[in-house]
Amino acid sequence: MRLRVECTTEPLDLDQTPPHAVVAREVVRAADLDAVDASPFDNTAEGRSDAVLTAVATPLRSSIDAGAPRVPRVPVQVNVVEEGEA
Protein backbone atom coordinates (compact mmCIF):
# COMPACT_ATOMS: atom_id res chain seq x y z
CA MET A 1 0.00 0.00 0.00
CA ARG A 2 1.18 3.51 -0.82
CA LEU A 3 0.45 6.54 1.32
CA ARG A 4 0.78 10.28 0.86
CA VAL A 5 1.57 12.41 3.91
CA GLU A 6 1.30 16.17 4.25
CA CYS A 7 2.50 17.95 7.40
CA THR A 8 3.27 21.44 8.63
CA THR A 9 5.88 22.15 11.29
CA GLU A 10 4.86 24.74 13.87
CA PRO A 11 5.40 27.11 15.61
CA LEU A 12 6.17 29.23 12.59
CA ASP A 13 8.78 31.98 12.51
CA LEU A 14 8.46 34.09 9.38
CA ASP A 15 11.86 35.79 9.83
CA GLN A 16 13.88 32.57 9.76
CA THR A 17 13.29 28.86 9.71
CA PRO A 18 13.40 27.54 13.29
CA PRO A 19 15.99 24.81 13.94
CA HIS A 20 13.31 22.21 14.73
CA ALA A 21 11.64 22.87 11.34
CA VAL A 22 15.00 22.47 9.57
CA VAL A 23 15.53 19.12 11.30
CA ALA A 24 12.03 17.93 10.39
CA ARG A 25 12.56 18.93 6.74
CA GLU A 26 15.89 17.10 6.57
CA VAL A 27 14.38 13.96 8.11
CA VAL A 28 11.66 13.92 5.44
CA ARG A 29 14.22 14.51 2.67
CA ALA A 30 16.43 11.68 3.96
CA ALA A 31 13.59 9.16 4.40
CA ASP A 32 13.02 6.33 1.94
CA LEU A 33 10.10 8.16 0.28
CA ASP A 34 9.11 9.12 -3.24
CA ALA A 35 7.91 12.49 -4.52
CA VAL A 36 9.23 14.50 -1.57
CA ASP A 37 8.39 18.20 -1.56
CA ALA A 38 9.99 19.78 1.52
CA SER A 39 9.82 23.50 2.21
CA PRO A 40 10.68 25.45 5.38
CA PHE A 41 7.35 24.59 7.03
CA ASP A 42 5.32 22.28 4.76
CA ASN A 43 6.38 18.78 3.78
CA THR A 44 4.65 16.40 1.39
CA ALA A 45 5.88 12.92 0.57
CA GLU A 46 4.65 9.66 -0.82
CA GLY A 47 5.86 6.10 -0.47
CA ARG A 48 5.34 2.63 0.98
CA SER A 49 3.10 2.66 4.03
CA ASP A 50 5.85 1.53 6.44
CA ALA A 51 8.23 4.25 5.23
CA VAL A 52 5.55 6.96 5.41
CA LEU A 53 4.45 5.99 8.92
CA THR A 54 8.07 5.98 10.13
CA ALA A 55 8.62 9.37 8.52
CA VAL A 56 5.58 10.75 10.35
CA ALA A 57 7.03 9.85 13.77
CA THR A 58 10.66 10.75 13.12
CA PRO A 59 10.25 14.53 12.52
CA LEU A 60 8.32 14.86 15.78
CA ARG A 61 11.07 13.13 17.72
CA SER A 62 13.81 15.02 15.87
CA SER A 63 12.09 18.40 16.31
CA ILE A 64 11.83 17.88 20.05
CA ASP A 65 15.47 16.77 20.24
CA ALA A 66 16.49 19.89 18.22
CA GLY A 67 15.05 22.19 20.86
CA ALA A 68 11.52 23.00 19.76
CA PRO A 69 10.23 25.55 22.31
CA ARG A 70 7.35 23.23 23.13
CA VAL A 71 6.16 19.95 21.75
CA PRO A 72 5.63 21.13 18.18
CA ARG A 73 2.16 21.06 16.74
CA VAL A 74 2.49 19.19 13.49
CA PRO A 75 -0.82 18.83 11.65
CA VAL A 76 -0.56 15.63 9.63
CA GLN A 77 -2.78 14.27 6.91
CA VAL A 78 -2.20 10.75 5.57
CA ASN A 79 -4.05 9.47 2.50
CA VAL A 80 -4.04 6.13 0.72
CA VAL A 81 -2.79 6.54 -2.85
CA GLU A 82 -4.95 4.58 -5.25
CA GLU A 83 -3.29 2.48 -7.96
CA GLY A 84 -2.46 4.63 -10.99
CA GLU A 85 -2.72 7.86 -8.98
CA ALA A 86 0.98 8.08 -8.09
Side-chain angles (χ1 to χ4, degrees), residues 4-66:
R4 180 179 301 124
V5 62
E6 299 175 38
C7 62
T8 303
T9 306
E10 298 179 3
L12 303 176
D13 180 345
L14 299 179
D15 294 327
Q16 70 180 49
T17 305
H20 63 277
V22 171
V23 170
R25 179 181 61 213
E26 294 308 314
V27 167
V28 170
R29 285 183 175 163
D32 184 22
L33 300 170
D34 307 323
V36 173
D37 181 17
S39 70
F41 303 108
D42 297 314
N43 301 293
T44 304
E46 192 173 297
R48 296 179 334 276
S49 61
D50 60 332
V52 168
L53 296 175
T54 297
V56 167
T58 303
L60 289 172
R61 192 174 304 115
S62 299
S63 294
I64 292 167
D65 292 345

